[in-house]
Amino acid sequence: MVNTLIEEEEQVMQSTTHYYILNLIYTRPLAEVELLIDEHSHYLQSAFDRGDFLLSGRKDPWTGGIILAKASSQEAIQAIIAQDPLLKANVIKYEVIEFHPTRANTDFSSILATEKK
C-alpha cells in the first residue's frame, strides 16, 4: 500500500505540490538511534532519488534532524514518513509542518517558480 501511495503521489505531484518541514525528534538515547543510522541513510537517499526530499541534516545539538520535503498531500507525506526505519523502530517521532513558499533565494528559485504556476 505504501508503494502504491508513493506511485500515485508521483503522478499527482506534477499538478499539486505541497511543501513540508519535517522535524525529526529522537525519543530514545542517541546510542539506540546510531544502531539504525545506516538504514535511515538508505531511506533518505531513496526519498531524495524519488524527489520527495529536497534538503536534510542533523540538528545541533544532535537531538534529531530536519528535512525539507514535498508531496502531493498530507496522506502522501505520511506514507513516505512511515517507511523510515527510525520511526518503525520507535526511536524518533516526526513533527510535520506544511508551508507555502512565497520567497526564495536563487538556490531555491525553481521551487518558487513551480509554486506560482
Side-chain angles (χ1 to χ4, degrees):
M1 178 171 165
V2 170
N3 287 336
T4 302
L5 276 174
I6 291 172
E7 289 169 7
E8 289 175 10
E9 174 208 346
E10 288 171 354
Q11 293 171 0
V12 173
M13 182 79 73
Q14 296 166 356
S15 61
T16 306
T17 302
H18 299 262
Y19 293 91
Y20 301 90
I21 296 171
L22 307 178
N23 182 19
L24 288 67
I25 304 161
Y26 297 154
T27 59
R28 303 291 305 154
L30 185 56
E32 290 182 41
V33 174
E34 287 180 315
L35 295 174
L36 298 166
I37 281 298
D38 286 343
E39 291 177 54
H40 177 68
S41 292
H42 291 294
Y43 156 77
L44 290 174
Q45 189 58 54
S46 177
F48 274 104
D49 291 346
R50 286 191 311 270
D52 298 329
F53 292 171
L54 306 172
L55 291 169
S56 69
R58 294 178 179 172
K59 290 191 263 184
D60 187 11
W62 191 14
T63 58
I66 299 291
I67 300 170
L68 178 59
K70 64 180 182 174
S72 61
S73 66
Q74 185 68 229
E75 294 80 12
I77 199 67
Q78 291 296 333
I80 293 165
I81 291 168
Q83 295 181 7
D84 188 339
L86 295 178
L87 187 64
K88 290 178 180 181
N90 295 312
V91 298
I92 64 165
K93 66 179 181 177
Y94 273 83
E95 177 186 16
V96 178
I97 303 164
E98 183 172 357
F99 74 102
H100 304 280
T102 56
R103 294 186 185 197
N105 73 14
T106 55
D107 291 341
F108 290 100
S109 60
S110 63
I111 291 173
L112 193 55
T114 302
E115 184 71 12
K116 289 184 178 181
K117 287 184 180 178

